[in-house]
Amino acid sequence: MRILLVVDAANVVGSVPDGWWRDRRGATERLRDSLVPYGEAGVAGHPGPVETVLVVEGAARGVEPVPGVRVEAASGSGDDRIVELAREAAAAGRGCVVATADRELRRRVEAYGASCVGPSAVRRRPGGGES
């Protein structure tokens, strides 16, 4: 069973001051596209293949999935949806890695056995430089 990589879109997009606030949806689509290689390569000590899920909220809710990246639009809080995904992974006996810098979210998902990586783990190309 593949590890689940859950990416907190709002937190990861907001981790780099590159003008994302002018086009939140576009920034989220660029992040989504940059995540595709992680499916095969894995992330931060978790070799691939992994199933990648991008959790979006607010202005990014309309972002569509692409092959290799499932997009979950949170009906409420993105953090709550990420915790649900970590809980579901734990119940299935599946490993889960969450990409976020949010300390409270990290605490919540770690309670379900998920491990966490910072935004930089998914902001650079697998095995290399910035994406």
Side-chain angles (χ1 to χ4, degrees):
M1 188 177 303
R2 294 188 299 173
I3 285 179
L4 184 65
L5 169 62
V6 181
V7 179
D8 179 353
N11 188 270
V12 173
V13 165
S15 70
V16 177
D18 61 1
W20 59 263
W21 51 89
R22 290 188 294 269
D23 182 11
R24 291 172 195 253
R25 182 178 175 144
T28 303
E29 288 171 340
R30 288 188 297 280
L31 172 61
R32 175 205 58 202
D33 295 347
S34 75
L35 294 173
V36 172
Y38 290 94
E40 290 303 316
V43 64
H46 301 278
V50 299
E51 178 185 355
T52 305
V53 179
L54 180 65
V55 176
V56 299
E57 61 187 353
R61 277 199 183 101
V63 171
E64 296 291 326
V66 295
V69 180
R70 186 171 99 215
V71 177
E72 290 268 339
S75 59
S77 159
D79 288 2
D80 289 347
R81 181 64 187 130
I82 292 167
V83 172
E84 288 171 7
L85 289 166
R87 183 181 325 122
E88 291 166 6
R94 183 177 193 191
C96 180
V97 178
V98 176
T100 187
D102 183 316
R103 287 185 181 144
E104 176 62 15
L105 177 57
R106 284 174 172 245
R107 184 193 63 73
R108 291 174 67 195
V109 299
E110 286 171 349
Y112 291 103
S115 60
C116 296
V117 296
S120 65
V122 294
R123 293 295 296 198
R124 62 178 62 99
R125 296 184 198 286
E130 287 289 311
S131 54

